[in-house]
Amino acid sequence: MSGQQYPDVLIVGAGFSGVYQLHKLRKAGFTVELFEAGSGLGGIWYWNRYPGARVDSDFSIYQLSLEELWKDWNWEEKFPGRQELVEYFNYVDKKLGLSRDISFNTRVTSAFFDTTTNRWSVSTDTKKMINPQFLILCTGFAAKPLFPDVPGLDTFEGVVHHTSSWPETGFDMTGKRVGVIGTGASGVQLIQEAGPIVTHLTVFQRTPNLAVPMMNQRPLSLVMQAKMKEEMYPILFKRREQTFTGFHYDILPRGMFELSAEERYLLCDDLWSKGGFRYVFGSCKDILTDEKANAEVYSFWRKKVLERVRDPEMQRKLAPEKQPHPFGTKRISLEQSYYEVFNQPNVDLVDLNENTIVGITSKGVKTQDGVVHELDVLVLATGFDAVTGSISQIDIKGMDGINIGEKWKKGLSTYLGMTVSGYPNMFFPYGPQAPTAFCNGPTCAEIQGNWIVDCLVYLRRHNFARIDATQEASKAWVQRIADIFSQGLWDRAKSWYTGANVPGKRIEPLNFTGGLPLYISLIQGSAQAGYAGFTLTPGEGIKARL
């Protein structure tokens, strides 16, 4: 790596957003450094090593749209697993020569903005310090693991692993008594893998996961991919910007009850058979805004799940007659054999709403009924302090000297979901108050990444040293986020979409829920108006390059 003290830009994080920003900014003529806490590229895919880790997006759009990358890369599976994604990032690194500007095993611990130099002073856990003009936080939405506050966790004599920090060398659960706390996406994937190989599996569930089938998970032929590259790839990449979530399918323009009962059934059945997120984001326009339409979707889902689960008690816990929350208002998980696991005689499911965990003993998990569920291995699939935690865990101070985490405790505030007033020259793609949780990752990385690069080019061309969102524009953005969010059923669920999964965290909308086309029009509207909503300060910090 080049190791410059005063680069134009410092990027934090080497996932999709980080590597895309690094490549595009270098091409635009900026000097760039990237700090990555891990020892390799991949972002969440570097850290997600737990058994069964797999992306829930189709291979064709879960990649960067740069032709220099996709023309020579072939995928093995429709929904790539973690190892294949690590291999993809290594390929991207070699193809684009990224590592020369990356400091691995370097975690950013603090940053403050110096108004006299219009530069950030950034510190790391390796004692390395750097002073970039611009700071771009590509830390993603899931970089701060959430651990349960359960008495006695440190007394357990068995093995404890959080899904976000699984051993790099792996861990074999074969023949062991395994307990899993949490049934979010990582819990679902791990349970599928553990069920067939463990001696006994105990799943501790707070909320049933309304998972939908992945479907059509299969090896991919080189012939099929070669044909797609001739014409389809560019079309699919362009299509991403036209749909609500960045997939190649979109929400239907009809309401659920504009259809006959027969049409409703056939629609649900068709979406179900195609699999993936289509069941929600390829369905009718009102299923996330109208309770009756949403209940129709849940009813069909429940019917399908009950067909796969034999035991009535398991049916009651996994697919209750009373809908636990509106369908789709908690993160949808994709599964392959999740429900079949609960047909196994060696699998227990503890409903924590009926029988909560009271503590951890040296032997296992003790529940309210007095039973100690004896375990060899305890897996914490308890998720993350999502969306904001990735940024707020860093001690970042703006012009007023206030830590950004403390500032956000009073209420999340950004402008365009990429900047914060009072924290000049700082950007963050795939973060709070953007489409993040409702957007295909690489899609957001490119849409927001291009906007940030274009912004820095504009500042350089016009010799502006500082850009800072105004408080007025930020307040208007927060209100827009709230107004759009209130139109849906999102607040009916206890979800990381609102921070409700973190004890003591303020409950508020953390994402832009208006869809990608609207979001793109809003951020481009600001840029086309000379970056409306920002204060631009002239200075000598950026020298125009010809």
Side-chain angles (χ1 to χ4, degrees):
M1 61 148 307
S2 53
Q4 299 178 80
Q5 180 66 42
Y6 297 97
D8 295 328
V9 184
L10 172 66
I11 299 169
V12 182
F16 275 109
S17 290
V19 300
Y20 186 75
Q21 290 279 268
L22 176 57
H23 174 63
K24 297 293 282 189
L25 285 166
R26 290 195 317 196
K27 285 192 70 174
F30 291 94
T31 57
V32 191
E33 298 284 334
L34 189 153
F35 288 174
E36 165 56 45
S39 60
L41 301 180
I44 192 68
W45 298 112
Y46 171 84
W47 301 103
N48 269 0
R49 309 183 189 106
Y50 63 85
R54 181 177 302 280
V55 70
D56 50 17
S57 294
D58 184 286
F59 74 97
S60 61
I61 58 170
Y62 202 75
Q63 59 180 317
L64 296 175
S65 67
L66 302 171
E67 184 175 359
E68 60 203 281
L69 294 178
W70 57 255
K71 69 178 181 180
D72 295 324
W73 175 261
N74 291 295
W75 295 95
E76 296 178 4
E77 293 183 298
K78 181 178 175 63
F79 295 93
R82 184 261 176 181
Q83 186 55 42
E84 187 173 6
L85 287 160
V86 169
E87 292 168 3
Y88 173 74
F89 274 97
N90 290 337
Y91 162 79
V92 171
D93 185 15
K94 292 177 182 177
K95 198 79 171 177
L96 303 181
L98 300 175
S99 285
R100 69 174 184 266
D101 291 315
I102 300 177
S103 294
F104 292 105
N105 302 305
T106 304
R107 183 180 295 275
V108 170
T109 55
S110 65
F112 72 88
F113 188 76
D114 187 337
T115 57
T116 62
T117 62
N118 288 319
R119 286 183 175 270
W120 284 91
S121 293
V122 180
S123 300
T124 69
D125 61 352
T126 63
K127 309 304 180 185
K128 180 179 176 65
M129 298 187 67
I130 193 170
N131 301 94
Q133 184 95 35
F134 299 98
L135 177 62
I136 304 180
L137 303 171
C138 297
T139 48
F141 73 88
K144 184 181 179 182
L146 188 62
F147 291 84
D149 183 16
V150 182
L153 184 59
D154 59 344
T155 68
F156 180 57
E157 294 177 352
V159 176
V160 180
H161 289 308
H162 195 287
T163 49
S164 70
S165 53
W166 204 261
E168 192 166 3
T169 54
F171 179 78
D172 188 4
M173 295 182 287
T174 302
K176 294 182 170 59
R177 298 168 300 170
V178 177
V180 181
I181 299 177
T183 54
S186 59
V188 166
Q189 291 185 331
L190 184 134
I191 288 165
Q192 291 178 151
E193 297 295 314
I197 64 171
V198 300
T199 297
H200 192 274
L201 176 65
T202 306
V203 177
F204 299 91
Q205 170 190 281
R206 183 186 66 188
T207 307
N209 192 316
L210 311 187
V212 297
M214 184 168 276
M215 291 294 192
N216 303 314
Q217 169 64 334
R218 63 182 186 273
L220 302 171
S221 74
L222 296 179
V223 173
M224 182 269 288
Q225 291 183 75
K227 187 171 182 61
M228 288 183 71
K229 291 174 185 179
E230 291 176 5
E231 184 176 26
M232 186 63 72
Y233 266 18
I235 292 173
L236 291 178
F237 291 135
K238 186 62 179 176
R239 175 63 175 155
R240 296 186 308 183
E241 300 181 9
Q242 301 168 357
T243 66
F244 189 91
T245 52
F247 294 115
H248 51 266
Y249 50 84
D250 204 4
I251 295 171
L252 300 177
R254 295 172 294 174
M256 180 65 75
F257 292 98
E258 294 176 31
L259 309 177
S260 67
E262 294 75 20
E263 287 175 312
R264 294 196 297 273
Y265 180 90
L266 291 173
L267 172 64
C268 288
D269 191 63
D270 179 60
L271 295 173
W272 187 269
S273 65
K274 289 177 179 176
F277 292 117
R278 280 182 184 82
Y279 191 66
V280 174
F281 296 112
S283 188
C284 293
K285 65 180 182 180
D286 56 353
I287 68 166
L288 292 171
T289 59
D290 181 80
E291 288 187 356
K292 187 178 178 183
N294 190 277
E296 190 87 357
V297 172
Y298 179 78
S299 177
F300 186 92
W301 171 88
R302 182 170 183 265
K303 173 182 177 295
K304 287 293 187 180
V305 171
L306 293 181
E307 292 172 357
R308 296 167 59 186
V309 180
R310 294 193 294 265
D311 180 73
E313 186 65 7
M314 288 292 190
Q315 290 180 335
R316 183 183 70 82
K317 293 176 181 178
L318 292 167
E321 184 175 356
K322 182 180 179 182
Q323 191 171 344
H325 55 78
F327 201 95
T329 56
K330 288 174 73 78
R331 170 73 171 183
I332 294 291
S333 298
L334 303 191
E335 56 83 27
Q336 295 171 272
S337 59
Y338 178 67
Y339 294 104
E340 283 72 16
V341 167
F342 295 95
N343 291 327
Q344 297 178 201
N346 64 329
V347 176
D348 289 332
L349 177 60
V350 179
D351 186 337
L352 297 181
N353 295 297
E354 300 172 348
N355 190 19
T356 190
I357 294 173
V358 295
I360 309 292
T361 73
S362 61
K363 300 300 182 184
V365 177
K366 185 176 182 179
T367 47
Q368 194 171 32
D369 59 3
V371 173
V372 175
H373 303 266
E374 295 192 359
L375 307 169
D376 303 310
V377 182
L378 179 58
V379 178
L380 306 177
T382 46
F384 301 87
D385 180 356
V387 188
T388 56
S390 304
I391 295 173
S392 63
Q393 68 178 335
I394 305 172
D395 183 16
I396 302 172
K397 293 184 172 69
M399 292 191 295
D400 57 7
I402 297 177
N403 173 282
I404 197 166
E406 290 300 314
K407 180 183 180 72
W408 282 347
K409 283 181 180 178
K410 300 175 183 178
L412 179 59
S413 176
T414 77
Y415 180 49
L416 304 182
M418 288 185 282
T419 64
V420 179
S421 179
Y423 296 75
N425 295 3
M426 184 180 82
F427 303 87
F428 43 85
Y430 213 46
Q433 295 186 338
T436 305
F438 303 95
C439 178
N440 172 262
T443 303
C444 257
E446 295 192 14
I447 289 170
Q448 294 179 297
N450 290 337
W451 189 93
I452 293 169
V453 173
D454 290 345
C455 177
L456 298 197
V457 169
Y458 178 91
L459 298 175
R460 182 177 65 188
R461 182 181 302 129
H462 295 87
N463 201 35
F464 288 113
R466 184 195 303 175
I467 180 170
D468 188 20
T470 67
Q471 291 187 8
E472 293 75 19
S474 300
K475 288 178 182 177
W477 184 256
V478 171
Q479 188 60 52
R480 184 186 291 271
I481 295 288
D483 290 345
I484 296 174
F485 187 83
S486 68
Q487 296 171 16
L489 302 173
W490 311 106
D491 61 352
R492 314 289 176 86
K494 187 177 181 182
S495 163
W496 61 260
Y497 289 168
T498 62
N501 64 315
V502 182
K505 189 171 181 177
R506 183 185 175 95
I507 307 301
E508 58 188 334
L510 302 182
N511 298 274
F512 178 92
T513 54
L516 271 180
L518 176 59
Y519 180 75
I520 292 170
S521 71
L522 293 170
I523 64 174
Q524 291 302 333
S526 169
Q528 292 163 6
Y531 295 92
F534 292 96
T535 299
L536 308 183
T537 305
E540 297 301 317
I542 304 176
K543 300 298 183 182
R545 296 183 179 89
L546 300 178

mmCIF file of all heavy atoms in Angstrom, residues 441-455:
data_model
loop_
_atom_site.group_PDB
_atom_site.id
_atom_site.type_symbol
_atom_site.label_atom_id
_atom_site.label_comp_id
_atom_site.label_asym_id
_atom_site.label_seq_id
_atom_site.Cartn_x
_atom_site.Cartn_y
_atom_site.Cartn_z
ATOM 1 N N GLY A 441 -27.436 -5.123 -2.150
ATOM 2 C CA GLY A 441 -26.201 -4.482 -1.699
ATOM 3 C C GLY A 441 -25.336 -3.863 -2.783
ATOM 4 O O GLY A 441 -25.012 -2.669 -2.724
ATOM 5 N N PRO A 442 -24.901 -4.623 -3.790
ATOM 6 C CA PRO A 442 -24.075 -4.027 -4.841
ATOM 7 C C PRO A 442 -24.770 -2.892 -5.592
ATOM 8 O O PRO A 442 -24.125 -1.959 -6.060
ATOM 9 C CB PRO A 442 -23.786 -5.209 -5.772
ATOM 10 C CG PRO A 442 -23.907 -6.412 -4.892
ATOM 11 C CD PRO A 442 -25.007 -6.082 -3.929
ATOM 12 N N THR A 443 -26.097 -2.982 -5.683
ATOM 13 C CA THR A 443 -26.854 -1.918 -6.354
ATOM 14 C C THR A 443 -26.702 -0.603 -5.598
ATOM 15 O O THR A 443 -26.387 0.439 -6.192
ATOM 16 C CB THR A 443 -28.347 -2.300 -6.430
ATOM 17 O OG1 THR A 443 -28.482 -3.551 -7.094
ATOM 18 C CG2 THR A 443 -29.136 -1.239 -7.174
ATOM 19 N N CYS A 444 -26.938 -0.640 -4.286
ATOM 20 C CA CYS A 444 -26.769 0.563 -3.472
ATOM 21 C C CYS A 444 -25.327 1.042 -3.505
ATOM 22 O O CYS A 444 -25.064 2.248 -3.546
ATOM 23 C CB CYS A 444 -27.189 0.287 -2.030
ATOM 24 S SG CYS A 444 -28.811 0.972 -1.607
ATOM 25 N N ALA A 445 -24.382 0.116 -3.471
ATOM 26 C CA ALA A 445 -22.966 0.479 -3.491
ATOM 27 C C ALA A 445 -22.637 1.316 -4.726
ATOM 28 O O ALA A 445 -21.882 2.294 -4.640
ATOM 29 C CB ALA A 445 -22.095 -0.774 -3.462
ATOM 30 N N GLU A 446 -23.228 0.956 -5.846
ATOM 31 C CA GLU A 446 -22.930 1.675 -7.084
ATOM 32 C C GLU A 446 -23.725 2.971 -7.209
ATOM 33 O O GLU A 446 -23.174 4.002 -7.616
ATOM 34 C CB GLU A 446 -23.185 0.763 -8.285
ATOM 35 C CG GLU A 446 -22.236 -0.428 -8.324
ATOM 36 C CD GLU A 446 -22.294 -1.172 -9.645
ATOM 37 O OE1 GLU A 446 -22.856 -0.638 -10.633
ATOM 38 O OE2 GLU A 446 -21.761 -2.301 -9.704
ATOM 39 N N ILE A 447 -24.998 2.940 -6.862
ATOM 40 C CA ILE A 447 -25.819 4.156 -6.972
ATOM 41 C C ILE A 447 -25.270 5.256 -6.069
ATOM 42 O O ILE A 447 -25.032 6.389 -6.509
ATOM 43 C CB ILE A 447 -27.286 3.841 -6.616
ATOM 44 C CG1 ILE A 447 -27.918 2.986 -7.720
ATOM 45 C CG2 ILE A 447 -28.081 5.143 -6.431
ATOM 46 C CD1 ILE A 447 -29.273 2.433 -7.352
ATOM 47 N N GLN A 448 -25.064 4.932 -4.798
ATOM 48 C CA GLN A 448 -24.543 5.931 -3.876
ATOM 49 C C GLN A 448 -23.066 6.203 -4.126
ATOM 50 O O GLN A 448 -22.607 7.338 -3.997
ATOM 51 C CB GLN A 448 -24.768 5.462 -2.436
ATOM 52 C CG GLN A 448 -26.241 5.388 -2.054
ATOM 53 C CD GLN A 448 -26.436 4.891 -0.634
ATOM 54 O OE1 GLN A 448 -26.079 3.764 -0.297
ATOM 55 N NE2 GLN A 448 -26.997 5.734 0.212
ATOM 56 N N GLY A 449 -22.329 5.158 -4.489
ATOM 57 C CA GLY A 449 -20.908 5.339 -4.774
ATOM 58 C C GLY A 449 -20.669 6.301 -5.926
ATOM 59 O O GLY A 449 -19.792 7.168 -5.861
ATOM 60 N N ASN A 450 -21.447 6.167 -6.992
ATOM 61 C CA ASN A 450 -21.303 7.078 -8.135
ATOM 62 C C ASN A 450 -21.648 8.508 -7.742
ATOM 63 O O ASN A 450 -21.001 9.463 -8.188
ATOM 64 C CB ASN A 450 -22.200 6.618 -9.285
ATOM 65 C CG ASN A 450 -21.706 5.337 -9.929
ATOM 66 O OD1 ASN A 450 -20.516 5.008 -9.846
ATOM 67 N ND2 ASN A 450 -22.599 4.599 -10.560
ATOM 68 N N TRP A 451 -22.683 8.648 -6.901
ATOM 69 C CA TRP A 451 -23.080 9.990 -6.461
ATOM 70 C C TRP A 451 -21.948 10.634 -5.670
ATOM 71 O O TRP A 451 -21.635 11.820 -5.860
ATOM 72 C CB TRP A 451 -24.341 9.906 -5.600
ATOM 73 C CG TRP A 451 -24.959 11.236 -5.275
ATOM 74 C CD1 TRP A 451 -25.952 11.879 -5.971
ATOM 75 C CD2 TRP A 451 -24.613 12.103 -4.183
ATOM 76 N NE1 TRP A 451 -26.256 13.081 -5.380
ATOM 77 C CE2 TRP A 451 -25.437 13.254 -4.280
ATOM 78 C CE3 TRP A 451 -23.699 12.035 -3.150
ATOM 79 C CZ2 TRP A 451 -25.370 14.309 -3.377
ATOM 80 C CZ3 TRP A 451 -23.624 13.089 -2.241
ATOM 81 C CH2 TRP A 451 -24.456 14.214 -2.353
ATOM 82 N N ILE A 452 -21.320 9.881 -4.783
ATOM 83 C CA ILE A 452 -20.228 10.424 -3.971
ATOM 84 C C ILE A 452 -19.033 10.797 -4.833
ATOM 85 O O ILE A 452 -18.445 11.880 -4.681
ATOM 86 C CB ILE A 452 -19.822 9.408 -2.885
ATOM 87 C CG1 ILE A 452 -20.964 9.250 -1.861
ATOM 88 C CG2 ILE A 452 -18.538 9.856 -2.172
ATOM 89 C CD1 ILE A 452 -20.771 8.086 -0.907
ATOM 90 N N VAL A 453 -18.673 9.939 -5.769
ATOM 91 C CA VAL A 453 -17.541 10.246 -6.663
ATOM 92 C C VAL A 453 -17.838 11.497 -7.474
ATOM 93 O O VAL A 453 -16.991 12.394 -7.603
ATOM 94 C CB VAL A 453 -17.237 9.052 -7.588
ATOM 95 C CG1 VAL A 453 -16.181 9.446 -8.631
ATOM 96 C CG2 VAL A 453 -16.741 7.859 -6.778
ATOM 97 N N ASP A 454 -19.043 11.575 -8.029
ATOM 98 C CA ASP A 454 -19.415 12.765 -8.810
ATOM 99 C C ASP A 454 -19.363 14.026 -7.953
ATOM 100 O O ASP A 454 -18.953 15.096 -8.426
ATOM 101 C CB ASP A 454 -20.827 12.597 -9.391
ATOM 102 C CG ASP A 454 -20.890 11.556 -10.497
ATOM 103 O OD1 ASP A 454 -19.825 11.168 -11.012
ATOM 104 O OD2 ASP A 454 -22.013 11.112 -10.821
ATOM 105 N N CYS A 455 -19.773 13.908 -6.704
ATOM 106 C CA CYS A 455 -19.739 15.053 -5.788
ATOM 107 C C CYS A 455 -18.300 15.525 -5.558
ATOM 108 O O CYS A 455 -18.006 16.729 -5.628
ATOM 109 C CB CYS A 455 -20.396 14.669 -4.463
ATOM 110 S SG CYS A 455 -20.352 15.978 -3.217
#
